[in-house]
Every structure is written in structure tokens, then in C-alpha cells.
Coordinates of all heavy atoms in Angstrom, one line a residue:
M1 N -3.0 -4.9 -7.9 CA -3.9 -5.2 -6.8 C -4.0 -6.6 -6.5 O -4.1 -7.0 -5.3 CB -5.3 -4.6 -7.1 CG -6.3 -4.6 -6.1 SD -5.9 -3.5 -4.7 CE -7.2 -4.0 -3.6
T2 N -3.9 -7.5 -7.5 CA -3.9 -8.9 -7.3 C -2.8 -9.4 -6.4 O -2.9 -10.2 -5.5 CB -3.9 -9.7 -8.6 OG1 -5.1 -9.2 -9.4 CG2 -4.0 -11.2 -8.4
D3 N -1.6 -8.8 -6.7 CA -0.4 -9.1 -5.9 C -0.6 -8.6 -4.5 O -0.1 -9.3 -3.6 CB 0.8 -8.5 -6.5 CG 1.2 -9.1 -7.8 OD1 0.9 -10.3 -8.1 OD2 1.9 -8.5 -8.6
W4 N -1.2 -7.5 -4.3 CA -1.5 -7.0 -2.9 C -2.3 -8.1 -2.1 O -2.0 -8.4 -1.0 CB -2.3 -5.7 -2.9 CG -2.9 -5.3 -1.6 CD1 -4.2 -5.5 -1.3 CD2 -2.3 -4.7 -0.5 NE1 -4.4 -5.0 0.0 CE2 -3.2 -4.6 0.5 CE3 -0.9 -4.4 -0.2 CZ2 -3.0 -4.0 1.7 CZ3 -0.7 -3.8 1.0 CH2 -1.7 -3.6 2.0
L5 N -3.4 -8.6 -2.7 CA -4.2 -9.6 -2.1 C -3.4 -10.8 -1.7 O -3.5 -11.4 -0.6 CB -5.4 -9.9 -2.9 CG -6.4 -8.8 -3.2 CD1 -7.4 -9.2 -4.2 CD2 -7.0 -8.3 -1.9
R6 N -2.6 -11.3 -2.6 CA -1.7 -12.5 -2.4 C -0.7 -12.2 -1.3 O -0.4 -13.0 -0.5 CB -1.0 -12.8 -3.7 CG -0.5 -14.2 -3.8 CD 0.0 -14.6 -5.2 NE 0.0 -13.4 -6.1 CZ -0.4 -13.5 -7.3 NH1 -0.8 -14.6 -7.9 NH2 -0.5 -12.4 -8.1
Y7 N -0.1 -11.0 -1.4 CA 0.9 -10.6 -0.4 C 0.3 -10.5 1.0 O 0.9 -10.9 2.0 CB 1.5 -9.2 -0.8 CG 2.6 -8.7 0.2 CD1 3.8 -9.3 0.1 CD2 2.3 -7.7 1.1 CE1 4.8 -8.8 1.0 CE2 3.3 -7.2 1.9 CZ 4.6 -7.8 1.9 OH 5.5 -7.3 2.7
M8 N -0.9 -10.0 1.2 CA -1.5 -9.9 2.5 C -2.2 -11.1 2.9 O -2.7 -11.2 4.1 CB -2.5 -8.7 2.4 CG -1.9 -7.4 2.2 SD -0.5 -7.0 3.2 CE -1.2 -6.9 4.8
D9 N -2.2 -12.2 2.1 CA -3.0 -13.4 2.5 C -2.6 -14.0 3.8 O -3.4 -14.4 4.6 CB -2.8 -14.4 1.4 CG -3.7 -15.6 1.5 OD1 -4.8 -15.4 2.0 OD2 -3.3 -16.7 1.2
N10 N -1.3 -14.0 4.1 CA -0.8 -14.5 5.4 C -0.4 -13.4 6.4 O 0.3 -13.7 7.3 CB 0.3 -15.5 5.2 CG -0.1 -16.7 4.4 OD1 -1.2 -17.2 4.7 ND2 0.7 -17.2 3.5
R11 N -0.9 -12.2 6.2 CA -0.5 -11.1 7.0 C -1.8 -10.4 7.6 O -1.8 -9.2 7.7 CB 0.3 -10.1 6.2 CG 1.7 -10.7 5.9 CD 2.5 -9.8 5.0 NE 3.8 -10.2 4.7 CZ 4.2 -11.0 3.7 NH1 3.3 -11.5 2.9 NH2 5.4 -11.4 3.6
Q12 N -2.8 -11.2 8.0 CA -4.0 -10.6 8.4 C -3.9 -9.8 9.7 O -4.6 -8.9 10.0 CB -5.1 -11.6 8.7 CG -5.6 -12.4 7.5 CD -4.7 -13.6 7.2 OE1 -3.7 -13.9 7.9 NE2 -5.0 -14.4 6.2
H13 N -2.8 -10.1 10.5 CA -2.6 -9.4 11.8 C -1.7 -8.1 11.6 O -1.4 -7.5 12.6 CB -2.0 -10.3 12.8 CG -2.9 -11.5 13.1 ND1 -4.2 -11.4 13.7 CD2 -2.8 -12.8 12.8 CE1 -4.7 -12.5 13.7 NE2 -3.9 -13.4 13.2
W14 N -1.3 -7.8 10.4 CA -0.5 -6.6 10.2 C -1.5 -5.4 10.1 O -2.7 -5.6 9.9 CB 0.2 -6.8 8.8 CG 1.3 -7.7 8.9 CD1 1.3 -9.0 9.3 CD2 2.7 -7.5 8.4 NE1 2.5 -9.6 9.2 CE2 3.4 -8.7 8.6 CE3 3.3 -6.4 7.9 CZ2 4.7 -8.8 8.3 CZ3 4.7 -6.5 7.6 CH2 5.3 -7.7 7.8
R15 N -0.9 -4.3 10.3 CA -1.6 -3.0 10.3 C -0.8 -2.1 9.4 O 0.4 -2.3 9.2 CB -1.9 -2.4 11.7 CG -2.7 -3.4 12.5 CD -3.0 -2.9 13.9 NE -3.8 -1.7 13.9 CZ -5.1 -1.6 13.7 NH1 -5.8 -2.7 13.4 NH2 -5.8 -0.5 13.7
G16 N -1.5 -1.0 8.9 CA -0.7 -0.1 8.0 C -1.4 1.2 7.8 O -2.5 1.4 8.3
A17 N -0.8 2.0 6.9 CA -1.3 3.3 6.6 C -0.8 3.7 5.3 O 0.2 3.3 4.8 CB -0.9 4.3 7.7
F18 N -1.6 4.6 4.6 CA -1.2 5.2 3.4 C -0.2 6.3 3.7 O -0.3 7.0 4.7 CB -2.4 5.8 2.6 CG -3.3 4.8 2.1 CD1 -4.4 4.4 2.8 CD2 -3.0 4.2 0.9 CE1 -5.2 3.4 2.3 CE2 -3.8 3.2 0.3 CZ -4.9 2.8 1.0
L19 N 0.8 6.4 2.9 CA 1.9 7.5 3.1 C 1.7 8.5 2.0 O 1.8 8.2 0.8 CB 3.3 6.9 3.0 CG 3.6 5.9 4.1 CD1 5.0 5.3 3.8 CD2 3.6 6.5 5.4
N20 N 1.3 9.7 2.4 CA 1.1 10.8 1.4 C 2.1 11.9 1.6 O 2.6 12.1 2.7 CB -0.3 11.4 1.7 CG -1.4 10.3 1.5 OD1 -1.5 9.7 0.5 ND2 -2.3 10.2 2.5
K21 N 2.4 12.5 0.5 CA 3.3 13.7 0.5 C 2.8 14.7 1.4 O 1.5 14.9 1.4 CB 3.5 14.3 -0.9 CG 4.4 13.5 -1.8 CD 4.5 14.3 -3.1 CE 5.3 13.6 -4.1 NZ 5.4 14.3 -5.4
P22 N 3.5 15.4 2.2 CA 4.9 15.3 2.4 C 5.3 14.5 3.6 O 6.4 14.6 4.2 CB 5.3 16.8 2.6 CG 4.2 17.4 3.3 CD 3.0 16.7 2.7
Y23 N 4.3 13.7 4.1 CA 4.5 13.0 5.3 C 4.9 11.5 5.2 O 4.8 10.7 6.1 CB 3.1 13.0 6.1 CG 2.6 14.3 6.2 CD1 1.5 14.7 5.5 CD2 3.1 15.3 7.1 CE1 0.9 16.0 5.6 CE2 2.6 16.5 7.2 CZ 1.5 16.9 6.5 OH 1.0 18.2 6.6
W24 N 5.5 11.2 4.0 CA 5.8 9.8 3.8 C 7.2 9.4 4.3 O 7.6 8.2 4.2 CB 5.7 9.5 2.3 CG 6.5 10.3 1.4 CD1 7.5 11.1 1.6 CD2 6.3 10.4 0.0 NE1 8.0 11.7 0.5 CE2 7.3 11.2 -0.5 CE3 5.4 9.8 -0.9 CZ2 7.4 11.5 -1.9 CZ3 5.5 10.0 -2.2 CH2 6.5 10.9 -2.7
L25 N 8.0 10.3 4.8 CA 9.3 9.9 5.3 C 9.3 9.2 6.7 O 10.0 8.3 6.9 CB 10.2 11.1 5.4 CG 10.5 11.8 4.0 CD1 11.3 13.0 4.2 CD2 11.1 10.8 3.0
A26 N 8.5 9.7 7.6 CA 8.4 9.1 8.9 C 7.2 8.2 9.0 O 6.1 8.5 8.5 CB 8.3 10.2 10.0
P27 N 7.3 7.1 9.7 CA 6.2 6.2 9.9 C 5.2 6.8 10.8 O 5.5 7.6 11.7 CB 6.8 4.9 10.5 CG 8.1 5.3 11.1 CD 8.6 6.5 10.3
P28 N 3.9 6.5 10.6 CA 2.9 7.1 11.5 C 2.9 6.4 12.9 O 3.6 5.4 13.1 CB 1.6 6.8 10.8 CG 1.9 5.6 10.0 CD 3.3 5.7 9.6
R29 N 2.2 7.0 13.8 CA 2.1 6.4 15.2 C 1.3 5.1 15.1 O 0.4 5.0 14.2 CB 1.5 7.4 16.1 CG 2.4 8.6 16.3 CD 1.7 9.6 17.2 NE 2.5 10.8 17.3 CZ 2.7 11.5 18.4 NH1 2.0 11.2 19.5 NH2 3.5 12.5 18.4
A30 N 1.5 4.2 16.0 CA 0.8 2.9 16.0 C -0.7 3.1 16.0 O -1.4 2.4 15.4 CB 1.3 2.1 17.1
E31 N -1.2 4.1 16.7 CA -2.6 4.3 16.8 C -3.3 4.8 15.5 O -4.5 4.8 15.4 CB -3.0 5.2 18.0 CG -2.4 6.6 18.0 CD -1.1 6.7 18.7 OE1 -0.5 5.7 19.0 OE2 -0.6 7.9 18.8
G32 N -2.4 5.2 14.6 CA -2.9 5.7 13.3 C -3.0 4.6 12.2 O -3.3 4.9 11.1
L33 N -2.6 3.4 12.6 CA -2.6 2.3 11.6 C -4.0 1.7 11.5 O -4.7 1.5 12.5 CB -1.6 1.3 12.0 CG -0.1 1.8 12.2 CD1 0.8 0.7 12.7 CD2 0.4 2.4 10.9
D34 N -4.3 1.2 10.3 CA -5.6 0.6 10.0 C -5.3 -0.9 9.8 O -4.2 -1.4 9.4 CB -6.2 1.1 8.7 CG -6.7 2.5 8.9 OD1 -7.3 2.9 9.9 OD2 -6.4 3.3 7.9
D35 N -6.4 -1.7 9.9 CA -6.2 -3.2 9.7 C -6.2 -3.4 8.2 O -6.5 -2.5 7.4 CB -7.4 -3.9 10.3 CG -8.7 -3.5 9.9 OD1 -9.0 -3.6 8.6 OD2 -9.6 -3.1 10.7
T36 N -5.8 -4.6 7.8 CA -5.6 -4.9 6.4 C -6.9 -4.9 5.6 O -6.9 -4.5 4.4 CB -4.9 -6.3 6.2 OG1 -5.7 -7.3 6.8 CG2 -3.5 -6.3 6.8
T37 N -8.0 -5.2 6.2 CA -9.3 -5.1 5.5 C -9.6 -3.7 5.1 O -10.1 -3.4 4.0 CB -10.5 -5.7 6.4 OG1 -10.1 -7.1 6.7 CG2 -11.8 -5.6 5.7
T38 N -9.4 -2.8 6.1 CA -9.7 -1.3 5.8 C -8.7 -0.8 4.7 O -9.2 -0.1 3.8 CB -9.5 -0.5 7.0 OG1 -10.4 -1.0 8.0 CG2 -9.7 1.0 6.8
L39 N -7.5 -1.3 4.7 CA -6.5 -0.9 3.7 C -6.9 -1.4 2.3 O -6.9 -0.7 1.3 CB -5.1 -1.3 4.0 CG -4.5 -0.7 5.3 CD1 -3.2 -1.4 5.6 CD2 -4.3 0.8 5.1
T40 N -7.4 -2.7 2.3 CA -7.8 -3.3 1.0 C -9.0 -2.6 0.4 O -9.1 -2.3 -0.8 CB -8.0 -4.8 1.2 OG1 -6.8 -5.4 1.7 CG2 -8.5 -5.4 -0.1
Q41 N -10.0 -2.2 1.3 CA -11.1 -1.5 0.8 C -10.8 -0.1 0.3 O -11.3 0.3 -0.8 CB -12.1 -1.4 2.0 CG -12.8 -2.7 2.4 CD -13.6 -2.5 3.7 OE1 -13.5 -1.6 4.4 NE2 -14.4 -3.6 3.9
A42 N -9.9 0.5 0.9 CA -9.4 1.9 0.5 C -8.7 1.7 -0.9 O -8.8 2.6 -1.7 CB -8.6 2.5 1.5
L43 N -7.9 0.7 -1.0 CA -7.2 0.5 -2.3 C -8.1 0.2 -3.4 O -8.0 0.7 -4.5 CB -6.1 -0.6 -2.1 CG -4.9 -0.3 -1.4 CD1 -4.1 -1.6 -1.1 CD2 -4.0 0.7 -2.2
T44 N -9.1 -0.6 -3.1 CA -10.1 -0.9 -4.1 C -10.9 0.3 -4.6 O -11.1 0.5 -5.8 CB -11.1 -2.0 -3.6 OG1 -10.4 -3.2 -3.2 CG2 -12.2 -2.3 -4.6
A45 N -11.2 1.2 -3.6 CA -11.9 2.4 -3.9 C -11.0 3.3 -4.8 O -11.4 3.9 -5.7 CB -12.4 3.1 -2.7
H46 N -9.7 3.4 -4.4 CA -8.8 4.2 -5.1 C -8.6 3.8 -6.6 O -8.7 4.6 -7.5 CB -7.4 4.2 -4.4 CG -6.3 4.8 -5.2 ND1 -6.2 6.2 -5.2 CD2 -5.4 4.3 -6.0 CE1 -5.1 6.5 -6.0 NE2 -4.6 5.4 -6.5
F47 N -8.4 2.5 -6.8 CA -8.2 2.0 -8.1 C -9.5 1.9 -9.0 O -9.4 1.8 -10.2 CB -7.5 0.6 -8.1 CG -6.1 0.7 -7.6 CD1 -5.6 -0.1 -6.6 CD2 -5.2 1.6 -8.2 CE1 -4.3 0.0 -6.1 CE2 -3.9 1.7 -7.7 CZ -3.4 0.9 -6.7
S48 N -10.6 2.1 -8.3 CA -11.9 2.1 -9.1 C -12.0 3.5 -9.8 O -12.7 3.7 -10.7 CB -13.1 1.9 -8.3 OG -13.3 2.9 -7.4
Q49 N -11.2 4.5 -9.3 CA -11.3 5.9 -9.8 C -10.0 6.3 -10.5 O -10.0 7.2 -11.3 CB -11.6 6.8 -8.7 CG -13.0 6.6 -8.1 CD -13.3 7.5 -6.9 OE1 -12.5 8.4 -6.6 NE2 -14.4 7.3 -6.3
R50 N -8.9 5.8 -10.1 CA -7.6 6.2 -10.6 C -6.7 5.0 -10.8 O -6.9 3.9 -10.3 CB -6.9 7.1 -9.5 CG -7.6 8.3 -9.2 CD -6.8 9.1 -8.1 NE -7.6 10.2 -7.6 CZ -8.4 10.2 -6.6 NH1 -8.7 9.1 -6.0 NH2 -9.1 11.3 -6.3
R51 N -5.6 5.3 -11.6 CA -4.6 4.2 -11.9 C -3.3 4.5 -11.2 O -2.3 3.8 -11.4 CB -4.4 4.1 -13.4 CG -5.6 3.5 -14.1 CD -5.4 3.3 -15.6 NE -4.2 2.5 -15.8 CZ -3.5 2.4 -16.9 NH1 -3.9 3.2 -17.9 NH2 -2.5 1.7 -17.0
T52 N -3.2 5.6 -10.5 CA -1.9 6.0 -9.9 C -1.6 5.0 -8.7 O -2.4 4.6 -8.0 CB -2.0 7.4 -9.3 OG1 -3.1 7.5 -8.4 CG2 -2.2 8.4 -10.4
P53 N -0.3 4.7 -8.6 CA 0.1 3.8 -7.5 C 0.0 4.5 -6.1 O -0.1 5.7 -6.0 CB 1.6 3.6 -7.8 CG 2.0 4.6 -8.7 CD 0.8 5.1 -9.4
R54 N -0.1 3.7 -5.1 CA -0.2 4.2 -3.7 C 0.9 3.6 -2.9 O 1.3 2.4 -3.0 CB -1.5 3.7 -3.1 CG -2.8 4.4 -3.6 CD -2.8 5.9 -3.6 NE -2.4 6.5 -2.3 CZ -3.1 7.0 -1.4 NH1 -4.4 7.0 -1.5 NH2 -2.6 7.5 -0.3
Q55 N 1.5 4.4 -2.0 CA 2.6 4.0 -1.1 C 1.9 3.7 0.2 O 1.2 4.6 0.7 CB 3.7 5.0 -1.0 CG 4.8 4.5 -0.2 CD 6.0 5.5 0.0 OE1 6.9 5.2 0.7 NE2 5.9 6.7 -0.5
L56 N 2.3 2.6 0.8 CA 1.8 2.3 2.2 C 3.0 1.8 3.0 O 4.0 1.4 2.5 CB 0.8 1.1 2.1 CG -0.5 1.3 1.4 CD1 -0.4 0.9 0.0 CD2 -1.6 0.5 2.1
I57 N 2.7 1.9 4.3 CA 3.7 1.4 5.3 C 2.9 0.3 6.1 O 1.7 0.5 6.4 CB 4.3 2.4 6.2 CG1 5.5 1.9 7.0 CG2 3.3 3.1 7.1 CD1 6.4 2.9 7.5
L58 N 3.5 -0.8 6.3 CA 2.9 -1.9 7.0 C 3.7 -2.2 8.2 O 5.0 -2.1 8.2 CB 2.8 -3.1 6.1 CG 2.0 -3.0 4.8 CD1 2.2 -4.2 3.9 CD2 0.6 -2.7 5.1
R59 N 3.1 -2.7 9.3 CA 3.7 -3.1 10.5 C 3.2 -4.4 10.9 O 2.0 -4.6 11.1 CB 3.5 -2.1 11.6 CG 4.3 -2.4 12.8 CD 4.3 -1.2 13.8 NE 5.2 -1.5 14.9 CZ 5.1 -1.1 16.1 NH1 4.0 -0.3 16.4 NH2 5.9 -1.3 17.0
G60 N 4.2 -5.4 11.1 CA 3.8 -6.7 11.5 C 3.7 -6.8 13.0 O 4.1 -5.9 13.7
P61 N 3.2 -7.9 13.5 CA 3.0 -8.1 14.9 C 4.3 -8.0 15.7 O 4.2 -7.6 16.9 CB 2.4 -9.5 15.0 CG 1.8 -9.8 13.7 CD 2.6 -9.1 12.7
A62 N 5.4 -8.4 15.1 CA 6.7 -8.3 15.8 C 7.3 -6.9 15.8 O 8.4 -6.7 16.2 CB 7.6 -9.3 15.3
G63 N 6.6 -5.9 15.2 CA 7.1 -4.6 15.1 C 7.9 -4.3 13.8 O 8.4 -3.2 13.7
L64 N 8.0 -5.2 12.9 CA 8.7 -5.0 11.6 C 7.9 -4.1 10.7 O 6.7 -4.3 10.5 CB 8.9 -6.4 10.9 CG 9.5 -6.4 9.6 CD1 11.0 -6.0 9.6 CD2 9.4 -7.7 8.9
W65 N 8.6 -3.0 10.2 CA 8.0 -2.1 9.3 C 8.4 -2.4 7.9 O 9.6 -2.8 7.6 CB 8.5 -0.7 9.6 CG 8.0 -0.1 10.8 CD1 8.6 -0.1 12.0 CD2 6.7 0.6 11.0 NE1 7.8 0.6 13.0 CE2 6.7 1.0 12.4 CE3 5.7 0.9 10.2 CZ2 5.6 1.7 12.9 CZ3 4.6 1.6 10.7 CH2 4.6 2.0 12.1
R66 N 7.5 -2.3 6.9 CA 7.7 -2.5 5.5 C 7.0 -1.4 4.7 O 5.8 -1.1 5.0 CB 7.3 -3.8 5.0 CG 8.1 -5.0 5.5 CD 7.8 -6.2 4.8 NE 8.7 -7.2 5.3 CZ 8.5 -8.5 5.1 NH1 7.5 -8.9 4.4 NH2 9.3 -9.4 5.7
R67 N 7.7 -0.8 3.8 CA 7.1 0.1 2.8 C 6.8 -0.6 1.5 O 7.7 -1.3 1.0 CB 8.0 1.3 2.6 CG 8.2 2.2 3.8 CD 9.2 3.3 3.5 NE 9.5 4.0 4.7 CZ 8.9 5.2 5.0 NH1 8.1 5.7 4.2 NH2 9.2 5.8 6.1
V68 N 5.6 -0.4 1.0 CA 5.2 -1.0 -0.3 C 4.5 0.0 -1.2 O 3.9 0.9 -0.7 CB 4.3 -2.3 0.0 CG1 5.0 -3.3 0.8 CG2 3.0 -1.9 0.6
F69 N 4.7 -0.3 -2.5 CA 3.9 0.4 -3.5 C 2.9 -0.5 -4.0 O 3.3 -1.7 -4.4 CB 4.8 1.0 -4.6 CG 5.5 2.3 -4.2 CD1 6.7 2.3 -3.7 CD2 4.8 3.5 -4.5 CE1 7.4 3.5 -3.3 CE2 5.5 4.7 -4.1 CZ 6.7 4.7 -3.6
V70 N 1.7 -0.1 -4.2 CA 0.6 -1.0 -4.8 C 0.2 -0.3 -6.0 O -0.1 0.9 -6.0 CB -0.6 -1.2 -3.8 CG1 -1.6 -2.1 -4.4 CG2 -0.1 -1.8 -2.5
V71 N 0.1 -1.1 -7.1 CA -0.3 -0.6 -8.4 C -1.5 -1.4 -8.9 O -1.7 -2.5 -8.5 CB 0.8 -0.6 -9.5 CG1 2.0 0.2 -9.0 CG2 1.3 -2.0 -9.7
D72 N -2.3 -0.7 -9.7 CA -3.4 -1.4 -10.3 C -3.0 -2.5 -11.3 O -1.9 -2.5 -11.8 CB -4.2 -0.3 -11.1 CG -5.5 -0.9 -11.7 OD1 -6.4 -1.3 -10.9 OD2 -5.7 -0.9 -12.9
D73 N -3.8 -3.5 -11.4 CA -3.5 -4.6 -12.3 C -3.2 -4.2 -13.8 O -2.6 -4.9 -14.5 CB -4.6 -5.7 -12.3 CG -4.7 -6.4 -11.0 OD1 -3.6 -6.4 -10.2 OD2 -5.7 -7.0 -10.6
T74 N -3.8 -3.1 -14.1 CA -3.6 -2.6 -15.5 C -2.3 -1.7 -15.6 O -2.1 -1.1 -16.7 CB -4.8 -1.8 -16.0 OG1 -5.0 -0.7 -15.1 CG2 -6.0 -2.7 -16.0
W75 N -1.6 -1.6 -14.6 CA -0.3 -0.7 -14.6 C 0.6 -1.3 -15.7 O 0.8 -2.5 -15.8 CB 0.3 -0.8 -13.2 CG 1.5 0.1 -13.1 CD1 2.8 -0.3 -13.2 CD2 1.5 1.5 -12.9 NE1 3.6 0.8 -13.1 CE2 2.9 1.9 -12.9 CE3 0.5 2.5 -12.7 CZ2 3.2 3.3 -12.6 CZ3 0.9 3.8 -12.5 CH2 2.2 4.2 -12.4
P76 N 1.2 -0.4 -16.5 CA 2.0 -0.9 -17.5 C 3.2 -1.7 -17.0 O 3.8 -1.3 -16.0 CB 2.5 0.4 -18.3 CG 2.0 1.5 -17.5 CD 1.1 1.0 -16.4
T77 N 3.5 -2.8 -17.6 CA 4.7 -3.6 -17.2 C 5.9 -3.0 -17.9 O 7.0 -3.3 -17.4 CB 4.5 -5.1 -17.7 OG1 4.2 -5.1 -19.1 CG2 3.3 -5.7 -16.9
A78 N 5.8 -2.3 -18.9 CA 6.9 -1.6 -19.6 C 6.5 -0.3 -20.2 O 5.4 -0.3 -20.8 CB 7.5 -2.6 -20.6
V79 N 7.2 0.7 -20.1 CA 6.9 2.0 -20.7 C 8.1 2.2 -21.7 O 9.2 2.3 -21.3 CB 6.8 3.1 -19.7 CG1 6.5 4.4 -20.4 CG2 5.7 2.8 -18.7
P80 N 7.8 2.5 -23.0 CA 8.8 2.7 -23.9 C 9.5 4.1 -23.6 O 8.9 5.0 -23.2 CB 8.1 2.8 -25.3 CG 6.7 3.0 -25.0 CD 6.4 2.5 -23.6
L81 N 10.8 4.1 -23.8 CA 11.6 5.3 -23.6 C 11.4 6.2 -24.8 O 11.3 5.7 -25.9 CB 13.1 5.0 -23.4 CG 13.4 4.2 -22.1 CD1 14.9 3.8 -22.1 CD2 13.0 5.0 -20.9
P82 N 11.4 7.5 -24.5 CA 11.3 8.4 -25.7 C 12.5 8.3 -26.6 O 13.6 8.1 -26.1 CB 11.1 9.8 -25.1 CG 11.6 9.6 -23.7 CD 11.5 8.2 -23.3
I83 N 12.3 8.5 -27.8 CA 13.4 8.4 -28.8 C 14.0 9.8 -29.0 O 13.4 10.8 -29.0 CB 13.0 7.8 -30.1 CG1 12.5 6.4 -29.8 CG2 14.1 7.8 -31.2 CD1 12.0 5.6 -31.0

């Protein structure tokens, strides 16, 4: 989540949406996008209850699309493989 805040620091004019199964393949319509403040609030609420990552799609002012996964700060940096 800390990286999300840093990543969005210079992207206040971007808009985005959460991508949920099974609708995560196609980007949503522009009118369905939320501002970054709304996305950050929703992520904060999500990570206060769960540790699962969230996939989002972001759209910049020039129309550039980016897909990102946001994980909680406590997300494991390494998971041991089973023996």
C-alpha cells in the first residue's frame, strides 16, 4: 500500500477501477472510472479487513491504460516452496 501511495503521488489526474473476476479482461468504460482518492480509500478499507491483493486498471490523462496489482505492506516478500 505504501508503494501505491508513492506511485500515485504524481498521478492525481489519473482515474481507475477495480478489476474483478470475470470482468478483468476488458477495461471498463471511461464513465465507470473513479478518481485516485476514491481508489485509495477503497484500498485502505480493503486492506483493513483482508490481505489479498487487488487488481486495478488506471487511465492517464493522455488515455494511457495501465494494469496494476496492489498488495498490503505485510504481503510476504518471499514464500518458501514446498519440499
Side-chain angles (χ1 to χ4, degrees):
M1 185 70 186
T2 302
D3 289 337
W4 164 260
L5 298 173
R6 198 175 4 225
Y7 181 74
M8 296 310 295
D9 192 33
N10 293 321
R11 294 175 172 89
Q12 296 89 358
H13 300 293
W14 288 51
R15 300 183 60 76
F18 289 95
L19 296 176
N20 299 309
K21 284 184 182 179
Y23 308 106
W24 58 13
L25 296 177
R29 296 177 185 216
E31 59 269 10
L33 301 177
D34 292 318
D35 59 60
T36 58
T37 300
T38 302
L39 295 173
T40 300
Q41 290 170 347
L43 284 168
T44 301
H46 171 78
F47 290 127
S48 72
Q49 298 176 3
R50 297 178 186 90
R51 292 184 54 201
T52 56
R54 291 302 317 257
Q55 183 182 180
L56 293 92
I57 191 162
L58 302 171
R59 186 172 187 206
L64 174 70
W65 290 95
R66 291 196 180 162
R67 291 175 186 263
V68 297
F69 279 91
V70 181
V71 298
D72 186 60
D73 290 337
T74 61
W75 184 261
T77 56
V79 178
L81 295 174
I83 296 176

